[in-house]
């Protein structure tokens, strides 16, 4: 009795996407969301050895900043939890040390964005350090969280039920998310989230479409949206398989 | 995944599932409740508010003649079917 799911993309970019899933139960949708946030491992710096830090900030503060820089995460199978990659940085002031100044020992693991400022160095100040990046899950620390803005909403169906009363005041009717109008998916941003813009002078009824969820997924650059979603599904599946095996014994 | 049975009878089973949280437990509970031979399924994340114990305890009740352990296995299989179906649908989109 394999369930029938239907996935349709509303917006699709490398790091940001919105897609509709039909036929999914709220429990399952939330499992996927939680897995995306906390259970998909990513690379992040978790140990820093300072060779020289004559900047105005303490080693620990700079180490925290380095930890929060998103790093690209290698394809599944290349790394396992516990593996490390070393990145080195050496910047001398005056100037700003950026994430792009990191030199990685592995092509697969490097800063996802090159323009994250680490610290502003004044004349004569210098930052030289070696950092170890490790693979871990968002559950252990936010720096390992691959999905940064992950959520879902019900798909909403809009139906025109008649004309608005002639003397009724025109009031904005705000809806956010994605609406379904005669089978067509329309992000509410197209009409400024206001139904009276799309249906002027009409009376409309909106209802949640059961078991249809519009996911909004944004990644920190560690991997693409597709990768994040697939890995989240894998993580749930792997646990189900583990439980199945454990129960069979 | 470490399993420890805390209570077991003919039609009821309480089992501690080590290292899991709401992410998996709620999906599993939802899947169990879809089965007709499961009459009740729930989980408790902080049983008895006991000091420090946070591994969830899953409780499954089944109808007569059905081993709750078999029902649990079927529930896990349902989750697996759901994930592979969703992966397929997602990759096709």
């Amino acid at each position: 009795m394999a369930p029938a799911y239907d996935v349709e993309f509303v917006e699709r970019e490398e790091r940001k996407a919105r897609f509709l899933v039909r036929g999914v139960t709220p429990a399952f949708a939330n499992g996927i969301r939680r897995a995306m946030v906390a259970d998909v491992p990513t690379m992040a710096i978790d140990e820093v050895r300072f060779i020289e830090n004559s900047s105005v900030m303490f080693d620990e503060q700079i180490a925290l900043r380095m930890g929060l820089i998103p790093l690209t995460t290698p394809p599944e199978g290349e790394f396992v939890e516990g593996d490390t990659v070393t990145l080195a940085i050496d910047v001398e002031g005056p100037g700003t040390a950026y994430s792009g100044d990191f030199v990685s020992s592995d092509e697969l693991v490097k800063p996802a964005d090159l323009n994250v400022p680490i610290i502003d160095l004044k004349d004569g100040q210098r930052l030289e350090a070696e950092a170890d990046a490790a693979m871990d899950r968002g559950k252990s620390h936010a720096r390992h969280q691959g999905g940064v803005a992950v959520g879902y909403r019900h798909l909403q169906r809009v139906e025109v039920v008649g004309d608005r009363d002639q003397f009724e005041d025109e009031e904005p009717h705000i809806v956010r998310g994605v609406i379904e109008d005669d089978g067509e998916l329309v992000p509410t941003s197209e009409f400024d989230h206001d139904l009276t813009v799309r249906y002027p002078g009409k009376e409309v009824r909106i209802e949640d479409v059961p078991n249809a969820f519009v996911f909004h997924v944004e990644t920190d650059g560690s991997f693409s949206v597709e990768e994040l979603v697939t890995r989240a599904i894998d993580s749930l599946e792997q646990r189900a398989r583990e439980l199945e095996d454990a129960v069979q014994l | 995944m470490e399993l420890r049975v805390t209570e077991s009878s003919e039609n009821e089973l309480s089992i501690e599932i080590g290292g899991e949280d709401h992410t998996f437990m709620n999906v599993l509970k939802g899947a169990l409740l879809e089965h007709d031979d499961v009459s009740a399924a729930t989980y408790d994340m902080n049983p008895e508010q006991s000091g420090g114990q946070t591994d969830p305890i899953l409780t499954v009740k089944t109808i007569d003649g059905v081993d709750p352990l078999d029902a649990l296995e079927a529930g896990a299989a349902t989750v697996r079917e759901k994930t592979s179906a969703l992966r397929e649908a997602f990759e096709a989109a």
Side-chain angles (χ1 to χ4, degrees):
Chain A
M1 43 164 239
Y5 295 125
D6 181 44
V7 178
E8 202 176 322
F9 274 88
V10 182
E11 282 165 37
R12 192 174 198 165
E13 285 166 45
E14 173 76 12
R15 291 192 186 184
K16 199 170 125 186
R18 213 189 273 269
F19 57 91
L20 166 71
V21 187
R22 281 181 204 271
V24 75
T25 61
F28 192 46
N30 196 40
I32 299 289
R33 180 193 68 83
R34 285 179 60 106
M36 279 194 257
V37 171
D39 288 322
V40 176
T42 73
M43 295 298 282
I45 289 171
D46 82 343
E47 203 175 304
V48 184
R49 290 180 293 281
F50 285 92
I51 294 142
E52 185 178 337
N53 173 20
S54 45
S55 75
V56 292
M57 286 212 307
F58 294 124
D59 292 1
E60 290 85 343
Q61 293 175 298
I62 291 179
L64 174 67
R65 289 187 165 204
M66 288 178 175
L68 293 172
I69 295 168
L71 301 178
T72 55
T73 297
E76 238 166 336
E78 292 274 344
F79 277 80
V80 290
E81 278 182 45
D83 283 356
T84 60
V85 169
T86 306
L87 296 102
I89 190 167
D90 185 0
V91 183
E92 211 175 320
T96 306
Y98 287 100
S99 55
D101 295 321
F102 270 112
V103 183
S104 174
S105 64
D106 193 326
E107 223 357 75
L108 291 172
V109 180
K110 51 179 200 279
D113 294 296
L114 303 180
N115 56 354
V116 183
I118 299 169
I119 189 165
D120 181 38
L121 297 166
K122 298 294 182 208
D123 213 7
Q125 295 178 343
R126 183 153 172 252
L127 177 68
E128 189 184 352
E130 260 180 29
D132 287 339
M135 189 100 159
D136 208 340
R137 302 192 293 160
K139 222 175 159 181
S140 67
H141 193 283
R143 64 173 181 264
H144 294 290
Q145 195 176 311
V148 284
V150 184
Y152 57 82
R153 268 170 198 271
H154 256 122
L155 174 69
Q156 290 172 313
R157 188 183 292 130
V158 176
E159 218 180 309
V160 178
V161 286
D163 289 326
R164 189 158 35 80
D165 285 347
Q166 204 180 345
F167 299 110
E168 206 179 323
D169 285 335
E170 178 111 19
E171 278 179 11
H173 189 170
I174 305 297
V175 177
R176 282 172 206 282
V178 175
I179 61 161
E180 185 184 47
D181 179 16
D182 254 348
E184 188 195 353
L185 300 179
V186 187
T188 54
S189 52
E190 272 183 23
F191 47 89
D192 209 14
H193 310 288
D194 187 355
L195 285 178
T196 55
V197 172
R198 191 175 159 91
Y199 306 96
K202 299 284 184 198
E203 199 179 318
V204 294
R205 191 168 59 206
I206 45 176
E207 57 182 11
D208 290 345
V209 182
N211 294 341
F213 293 97
V214 180
F215 279 82
H216 177 263
V217 179
E218 224 176 299
T219 79
D220 68 352
S222 300
F223 26 51
S224 63
V225 168
E226 288 86 357
E227 194 78 1
L228 176 65
V229 177
T230 335
R231 288 188 196 196
I233 298 173
D234 288 345
S235 121
L236 275 185
E237 180 163 327
Q238 195 208 324
R239 278 180 275 180
R241 191 168 295 137
E242 255 179 64
L243 178 64
E244 222 181 330
D245 290 345
V247 170
Q248 272 167 357
L249 294 179
Chain B
M1 185 177 286
E2 223 175 280
L3 301 182
R4 205 169 66 223
V5 175
T6 52
E7 264 170 66
S8 177
S9 68
E10 210 177 303
N11 290 110
E12 192 174 341
L13 172 77
S14 288
I15 188 166
E16 190 180 301
I17 300 184
E20 287 306 334
D21 59 10
H22 294 288
T23 309
F24 181 64
M25 294 312 294
N26 200 39
V27 173
L28 179 64
K29 185 195 82 174
L32 280 167
L33 289 173
E34 286 172 18
H35 286 259
D36 289 336
D37 47 10
V38 174
S39 53
T42 187
Y43 71 95
D44 190 357
M45 276 303 284
N46 189 9
E48 317 280 322
Q49 270 72 50
S50 57
Q53 181 183 8
T54 48
D55 277 339
I57 289 184
L58 177 78
T59 304
V60 189
K61 264 190 197 177
T62 53
I63 55 167
D64 277 338
V66 179
D67 184 358
L69 214 52
D70 290 342
L72 180 57
E73 191 185 327
T78 307
V79 175
R80 203 166 38 71
E81 277 165 22
K82 282 176 175 226
T83 52
S84 25
L86 181 60
R87 186 185 309 104
E88 255 171 54
F90 185 78
E91 276 164 4

